[in-house]
């Protein structure tokens, strides 16, 4: 049961249901929060893609976009290739974060 469902039930249903929903058990509240977090993580994972890019010192060569981290690693062919996660419809960097792409790494670098 999500928070939205709780709010919906607060506006309808029997007085017993309303009393339970308005004062839910702390364990139930904790479970609801965990389910919502898992739902968000699932949606984010479904939208996550992996970029594979080669750092050619003065420029970058775009190699591809992959559905899994493993596929992106397989596309790397030398130590200058890096991979990084990206989520559809999400701006990873703003002007204060340039150069700080979270999750970026060079899988073949020794």
């Amino acid at each position: 049961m999500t928070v939205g469902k709780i709010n919906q039930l607060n506006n309808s249903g029997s007085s017993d249901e309303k009393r339970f929903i308005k004062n839910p058990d702390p364990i139930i509240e904790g479970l609801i929060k965990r389910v919502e977090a898992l739902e968000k993580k699932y949606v984010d994972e479904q939208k996550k893609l992996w970029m594979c890019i080669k750092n050619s010192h003065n420029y970058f060569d775009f190699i591809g976009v992959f559905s899994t981290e493993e596929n992106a690693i397989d596309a790397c062919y030398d130590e200058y290739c890096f991979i990084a996660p990206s989520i559809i419809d999400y701006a990873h960097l703003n002007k204060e974060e340039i150069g700080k792409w979270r999750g970026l790494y060079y899988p073949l670098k020794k």
Side-chain angles (χ1 to χ4, degrees):
M1 183 179 304
T2 65
V3 173
K5 184 66 173 171
I6 289 173
N7 290 335
Q8 181 183 2
L9 289 173
N10 274 333
N11 298 323
S12 66
S14 72
S15 61
D16 286 339
E17 286 174 330
K18 287 181 181 181
R19 186 172 54 248
F20 170 75
I21 299 301
K22 286 189 178 189
N23 300 303
D25 183 283
I27 294 172
I28 303 271
E29 278 185 329
L31 288 172
I32 290 169
K33 287 180 183 176
R34 289 178 67 192
V35 166
E36 288 177 333
L38 287 171
E39 285 174 343
K40 181 182 180 331
K41 180 179 178 186
Y42 175 77
V43 168
D44 288 347
E45 287 297 318
Q46 295 304 307
K47 294 170 68 176
K48 184 185 282 186
L49 299 171
W50 288 87
M51 308 291 146
C52 181
I53 301 167
K54 180 176 179 174
N55 181 348
S56 297
H57 305 294
N58 293 328
Y59 59 93
F60 294 96
D61 290 321
F62 180 75
I63 296 171
V65 178
F66 302 90
S67 59
T68 66
E69 182 177 9
E70 292 78 24
N71 289 346
I73 291 170
D74 288 344
C76 294
Y77 54 86
D78 68 23
E79 64 183 21
Y80 300 105
C81 294
F82 65 85
I83 66 169
S86 184
I87 297 173
I88 297 171
D89 298 329
Y90 176 77
H92 291 275
L93 302 173
N94 58 41
K95 63 183 178 183
E96 290 83 28
E97 297 176 314
I98 298 300
K100 299 178 184 174
W101 192 345
R102 278 173 263 143
L104 182 151
Y105 69 98
Y106 290 78
L108 303 180
K109 208 162 217 176
K110 300 199 187 324

